[in-house]
């Protein structure tokens, strides 16, 4: 079918070759993971395929892969190959060992800005998306540097690991401080609730004691009034008795005087 080669394939190739290249391009595109990375990888390689239930068989090699060079070995140790399974087939994708040009660096910067905008990364503050994209960009720069100078790439790898370790330490410290702050806040809330309950209880006790004081004061006033009345009654009774005894004493005195004054016979 000529429709599979319309527009983008050179007319010098035969229709079968053009359709074959188009088919291979579609298959490779389907096999690439949906989550694209800023790190440049080679085309994925089919490692094994499932045959029947629970059986896996290796595909016969189409072409013998050349022995890995020292640079490729270092690249694979720095950036391990990606592996995934699609439709029962195991695919592996190695990091690219193609040297980068100035245009590749410019394209990398444009892709970074584009992905930051597409994934709506925050410009400031803590943002996992921005951190992930910048980590991928730094890995790609390590790949480009390692191809030209393996020692420089390994040194950048140490710098990257040290930065990640420092960030992880700060993140752990931040999380522990957040947990400590939450515990302190909960303790403060608990203490606040306890203090409010204590204050409420003390207010109730204060009101009860005030009522008792008012009752005792009223009782004291009543006792004082009763004592005053009783004292007045006692004083009146005592005065009456004294007056009565005085009158009896006067009568007896007069009678004695009369007896003493009477002539003797």
């Amino acid at each position: 079918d000529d429709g599979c080669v319309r527009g983008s394939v050179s007319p010098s190739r035969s229709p079968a070759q053009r359709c074959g290249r188009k088919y291979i391009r579609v298959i490779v595109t389907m096999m690439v993971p949906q989550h694209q990375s800023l790190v440049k990888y080679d085309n994925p390689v089919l490692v094994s395929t499932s045959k029947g239930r629970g059986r896996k068989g290796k595909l016969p090699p189409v072409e013998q892969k050349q022995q890995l060079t020292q640079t490729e070995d270092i690249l694979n140790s720095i950036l391990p190959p990606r592996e995934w399974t699609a439709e029962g087939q195991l695919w592996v994708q190695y990091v690219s060992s193609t040297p980068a040009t100035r245009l590749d660096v410019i394209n990398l910067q444009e892709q970074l800005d584009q992905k930051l905008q597409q994934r709506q990364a925050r410009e400031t503050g803590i943002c996992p998306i921005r951190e992930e994209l910048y980590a991928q960009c730094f890995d790609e720069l390590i790949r480009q540097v390692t191809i030209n100078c393996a020692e420089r790439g390994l040194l950048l790898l140490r710098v990257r690991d040290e930065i990640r370790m420092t960030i992880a330490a700060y993140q752990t410290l931040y999380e522990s401080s957040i947990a400590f702050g939450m515990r302190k806040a909960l303790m403060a809330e608990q203490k606040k609730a306890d203090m409010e309950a204590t204050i409420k209880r003390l207010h109730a006790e204060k009101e009860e004691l005030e009522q008792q004081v008012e009752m005792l004061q009223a009782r004291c006033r009543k006792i004082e009034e009763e004592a005053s009345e009783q004292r007045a009654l006692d004083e009146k009774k005592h005065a009456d008795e004294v007056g009565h005894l005085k009158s009896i004493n006067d009568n007896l005195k007069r009678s004695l005087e009369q007896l003493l004054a009477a002539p003797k016979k």
Side-chain angles (χ1 to χ4, degrees):
D1 189 3
D2 294 339
C4 66
V5 295
R6 247 174 233 170
S8 61
V9 183
S10 173
S12 62
R13 297 187 179 89
S14 64
Q17 292 176 344
R18 287 178 285 178
C19 289
R21 288 178 59 86
K22 186 72 173 178
Y23 179 75
I24 292 173
R25 189 182 303 113
V26 171
I27 292 298
V28 171
T29 304
M30 292 175 61
M31 291 301 103
V32 175
Q34 296 181 357
H35 183 64
Q36 297 293 333
S37 174
L38 294 176
V39 182
K40 187 175 181 181
Y41 284 87
D42 290 332
N43 292 330
V45 178
L46 181 60
V47 176
S48 64
T49 181
S50 299
K51 296 180 180 179
R53 180 182 299 177
R55 293 184 300 172
K56 291 186 178 180
K58 292 188 177 180
L59 291 178
V62 179
E63 57 180 359
Q64 187 67 24
K65 185 173 179 62
Q66 298 179 356
Q67 189 69 21
L68 292 178
T69 63
Q70 183 180 4
T71 302
E72 292 177 346
D73 193 10
I74 294 175
L75 283 176
N76 291 333
S77 64
I78 295 177
L79 301 171
R82 299 190 295 183
E83 296 182 2
W84 69 93
T85 303
E87 298 180 357
Q89 296 176 341
L90 179 61
W91 294 81
V92 177
Q93 191 175 23
Y94 294 92
V95 68
S96 176
S97 60
T98 304
T101 61
R102 181 174 178 272
L103 181 60
D104 292 335
V105 179
I106 296 175
N107 291 334
L108 176 62
Q109 181 178 358
E110 293 177 355
Q111 291 177 8
L112 175 63
D113 295 336
Q114 183 180 3
K115 285 184 177 293
L116 287 173
Q117 185 176 5
Q118 287 177 354
R119 300 182 62 180
Q120 298 179 356
R122 296 176 58 184
E123 296 181 358
T124 58
I126 299 175
C127 179
I129 298 176
R130 190 179 76 248
E131 181 181 357
E132 176 186 357
L133 292 176
Y134 273 98
Q136 294 178 6
C137 181
F138 193 58
D139 289 342
E140 172 62 16
L141 292 177
I142 292 177
R143 184 196 71 84
Q144 297 176 7
V145 171
T146 304
I147 295 173
N148 296 326
C149 180
E151 291 76 9
R152 191 180 299 133
L154 292 174
L155 184 58
L156 284 178
L157 176 65
R158 289 182 57 186
V159 174
R160 184 197 70 178
D161 293 341
E162 179 64 25
I163 292 174
R164 289 182 178 179
M165 184 174 62
T166 304
I167 293 176
Y170 280 124
Q171 185 175 3
T172 303
L173 181 62
Y174 172 75
E175 292 174 355
S176 62
S177 63
I178 290 296
F180 179 76
M182 289 295 295
R183 288 197 301 269
K184 286 297 184 181
L186 292 176
M187 291 174 61
E189 289 294 331
Q190 184 64 32
K191 289 183 178 180
K192 180 181 178 182
D194 295 341
M195 291 299 295
E196 289 178 351
T198 303
I199 292 173
K200 186 175 181 180
R201 178 175 57 81
L202 292 176
H203 275 299
E205 292 180 0
K206 174 177 172 289
E207 292 177 356
E208 183 180 357
L209 292 175
E210 288 179 349
Q211 292 177 0
Q212 291 181 5
V213 168
E214 291 179 356
M215 292 175 60
L216 291 176
Q217 288 178 351
R219 185 176 178 183
C220 289
R221 286 193 297 269
K222 183 177 180 181
I223 291 174
E224 289 178 355
E225 290 177 356
E226 291 177 353
S228 299
E229 292 177 356
Q230 186 66 31
R231 185 170 52 252
L233 292 175
D234 291 341
E235 290 177 353
K236 183 178 180 183
K237 183 178 180 180
H238 182 265
D240 293 341
E241 290 179 355
V242 170
H244 179 65
L245 292 175
K246 283 183 178 180
S247 61
I248 292 175
N249 186 27
D250 293 338
N251 293 330
L252 291 174
K253 185 178 181 180
R254 284 195 296 272
S255 297
L256 180 60
E257 289 177 352
Q258 288 177 2
L259 290 173
L260 293 174
K264 294 180 179 181
K265 292 183 179 179

